[in-house]
Amino acid sequence: MSFNKNQAAFFQTLKLSLPSYNSLVDEIAEILEISIDSAYRRIRGEKLLDFAELEILCNRFNVSVDTFFNLHSNSILFQGNQNDYQENSFMNWMEDVYAQLNLVNSFSKKHIYWLVKDMPPFHHYYHEELAAFKFFFWRKSILFTESLKESKYSIKDNLYGQFAEITQKILKAYHKIPTTEIWNIEGINSTLRQIELYHEMGIMTSTEDTVFLYNCMLEVIDNLEKMAEKGKKILPSHPEIEGADYNFFLNEFIIGDNTFFATMDEKKVTYLNHSVIYFHGTSDPSFNNAMFRNLDNLIKKSTQISIVGEKDRKQFFNKLRKKVVEKINALPIEEE
C-alpha cells in the first residue's frame, strides 16, 4: 500500500467517527482552515498532510497516529476526563455524560451495551430523592467536594434541584437509545451499601430518610422489571412516551466491570470505567472489535429475561427485592 493510499484510508477512519449527516470534506476544510478543493485533495491522497495538520486531525477526531502510518503496536489511545477537585466537577461530569449520549443519538443506527457491576446511573435518576442521594454521595465521597466535607444528607434539603435540568436531559437522551444490559444479582449492592454506610456513619440525618431511599430502590426494581417485561425503556414520569428497545440479560457466572460499549452506524466505541464514575473511551478498531466479540459471547452464555423468560425474570427481580427488604428489616427500631 502506498503512502497516499494510507492517507486515504486514514480519512476513511475519520469519516466513520462522524454522524451520517455530516460532510467529511466540510469538517476537514473547517478544522484545517483550507478550501473545499484542498480538503478533497487531501482526502483522496493527492496532497500529503504535513505533521501539523496530522496532529490537528488526530487530536480533533481522537485517533492514534499509528492509524495513519499503519503501525501495528500494542498501544491503544483512550480519551476522557478526570476529577479536577473543583466545586463544579460533578456538573462537568454530568454535562460530559449528556454530550456522550447526544453523540450516540446523532447516528441513525445506534445501540449501547452495559456490562453491569453497579446499576447504571440512569436508573437512579428515575427518582428525584434517590438521584439526589447518589449525587451527594458521589460529590462527597468520590469527588471529595470541599463544600460537602462536613455535610450530612437529608431529603428535605432538595439537593436534586440544582441538577434537575441536566438530569432530565440525560434521561431523555438515554430513553432514545436501544440498550442491552448484562446483569448479575450483585448489580444493586453498591447503592444499597452506600445507603447503609451513610446511615451507620450518621451522615443520614434520620432513619426515615434511610427507609425512604430503600423504598426508592424497590421502585427502581419495579420499573426495571416492567422494562424487561415489555422490552422497552419506560420513563415513570411519562409512561406514555415509548422508549427505545431494552434488552436484559442475566449472567450468574461473572460480575461485570461497568464496561460501556456503543455502536454508531459502522463506528464502535468502548468506555472503560475508572475512579468509580469516570470513563475513558477509545475508538481503536482492533480493540473495539475484540470487545464486541467478548460481549457477544457473554450474551450468548447469558439468559435473556426481557420479553421472554417470565419465570426467570420474576425470580431474579424478587431476589433483588429481597436484598432491599433485608436492609430495611436490619435497621434498628428507633424509640419514640
Side-chain angles (χ1 to χ4, degrees):
M1 179 180 282
S2 70
F3 191 81
N4 289 23
K5 288 184 178 180
N6 274 342
Q7 180 164 304
F10 171 74
F11 278 108
Q12 183 61 31
T13 299
L14 302 189
K15 184 177 181 180
L16 292 176
S17 69
L18 291 173
S20 56
Y21 54 78
N22 278 21
S23 165
L24 177 63
V25 66
D26 289 342
E27 291 280 334
I28 299 303
E30 180 180 351
I31 293 168
L32 297 182
E33 298 181 349
I34 57 178
S35 68
I36 295 294
D37 180 64
S38 294
Y40 268 122
R41 291 171 59 206
R42 286 165 172 79
I43 292 171
R44 290 193 295 260
E46 296 170 2
K47 178 176 175 56
L48 299 182
L49 291 167
D50 60 37
F51 280 105
E53 292 172 334
L54 180 59
E55 180 182 9
I56 291 171
L57 293 175
C58 285
N59 285 331
R60 169 62 178 79
F61 288 91
N62 188 29
V63 297
S64 170
V65 72
D66 291 2
T67 304
F68 181 72
F69 290 110
N70 198 29
L71 299 177
H72 300 287
S73 70
N74 291 323
S75 62
I76 301 169
L77 179 65
F78 281 83
Q79 186 179 46
N81 298 318
Q82 301 182 79
N83 185 17
D84 58 7
Y85 299 94
Q86 300 300 309
E87 189 67 27
N88 63 346
S89 293
F90 183 68
M91 179 60 81
N92 291 339
W93 178 81
M94 292 282 278
E95 289 174 347
D96 185 57
V97 170
Y98 179 53
Q100 295 302 320
L101 292 175
N102 267 347
L103 172 64
V104 177
N105 266 320
S106 69
F107 290 82
S108 56
K109 291 174 58 180
K110 66 251 185 179
H111 200 102
I112 57 177
Y113 300 80
W114 198 288
L115 183 54
V116 174
K117 176 183 178 183
D118 304 323
M119 183 168 67
F122 317 111
H123 300 309
H124 300 90
Y125 300 172
Y126 293 138
H127 297 270
E128 291 186 9
E129 294 83 3
L130 184 60
F133 170 78
K134 292 294 287 191
F135 297 164
F136 181 85
F137 176 84
W138 287 330
R139 292 165 68 208
K140 180 179 176 69
S141 296
I142 304 303
L143 299 179
F144 306 107
T145 303
E146 185 64 27
S147 63
L148 297 179
K149 189 174 181 180
E150 303 299 329
S151 297
K152 294 188 177 183
Y153 179 80
S154 172
I155 289 176
K156 295 178 182 178
D157 291 338
N158 188 25
L159 299 175
Y160 176 82
Q162 59 186 309
F163 302 108
E165 183 178 355
I166 187 66
T167 302
Q168 289 303 308
K169 287 181 178 179
I170 289 172
L171 271 180
K172 289 175 182 177
Y174 169 73
H175 196 61
K176 299 175 184 176
I177 305 173
T179 297
T180 295
E181 293 178 358
I182 306 172
W183 275 69
N184 185 283
I185 195 65
E186 311 297 325
I188 63 171
N189 284 6
S190 289
T191 298
L192 293 182
R193 184 57 177 157
Q194 290 158 10
I195 297 170
E196 180 181 45
L197 278 174
Y198 268 26
H199 177 84
E200 292 174 348
M201 295 167 65
I203 298 176
M204 303 287 283
T205 56
S206 71
T207 300
E208 288 78 8
D209 281 1
T210 303
V211 173
F212 189 94
L213 292 177
Y214 282 140
N215 282 322
C216 282
M217 286 295 291
L218 289 174
E219 292 179 16
V220 167
I221 294 168
D222 289 344
N223 194 62
L224 281 169
E225 185 173 19
K226 288 177 184 176
M227 294 199 302
E229 181 181 0
K230 292 180 178 293
K232 295 286 183 181
K233 293 184 179 180
I234 300 172
L235 283 173
S237 57
H238 297 285
E240 74 282 0
I241 302 176
E242 183 172 307
D245 290 346
Y246 181 71
N247 306 305
F248 197 109
F249 286 84
L250 176 61
N251 192 307
E252 299 282 8
F253 299 100
I254 60 102
I255 297 177
D257 54 9
N258 290 337
T259 295
F260 178 64
F261 186 87
T263 59
M264 299 167 279
D265 291 342
E266 303 304 317
K267 178 182 173 65
K268 297 182 181 71
V269 178
T270 301
Y271 298 92
L272 298 183
N273 181 226
H274 73 93
S275 306
V276 182
I277 67 172
Y278 285 99
F279 287 83
H280 280 162
T282 182
S283 55
D284 183 272
S286 178
F287 183 88
N288 286 322
N289 287 334
M291 181 61 70
F292 186 75
R293 287 195 298 271
N294 179 59
L295 286 171
D296 188 50
N297 284 330
L298 281 175
I299 289 171
K300 290 176 180 176
K301 297 180 184 299
S302 301
T303 302
Q304 181 177 349
I305 59 174
S306 53
I307 304 178
V308 298
E310 180 180 4
K311 179 181 178 181
D312 289 332
R313 183 170 63 246
K314 287 186 177 298
Q315 288 178 342
F316 175 74
F317 285 107
N318 283 337
K319 287 179 182 178
L320 293 185
R321 291 187 184 94
K322 183 180 178 181
K323 281 176 173 282
V324 181
V325 171
E326 287 174 350
K327 294 292 185 184
I328 296 174
N329 292 337
L331 289 170
I333 299 175
E334 292 187 345
E335 296 182 3
E336 298 186 5

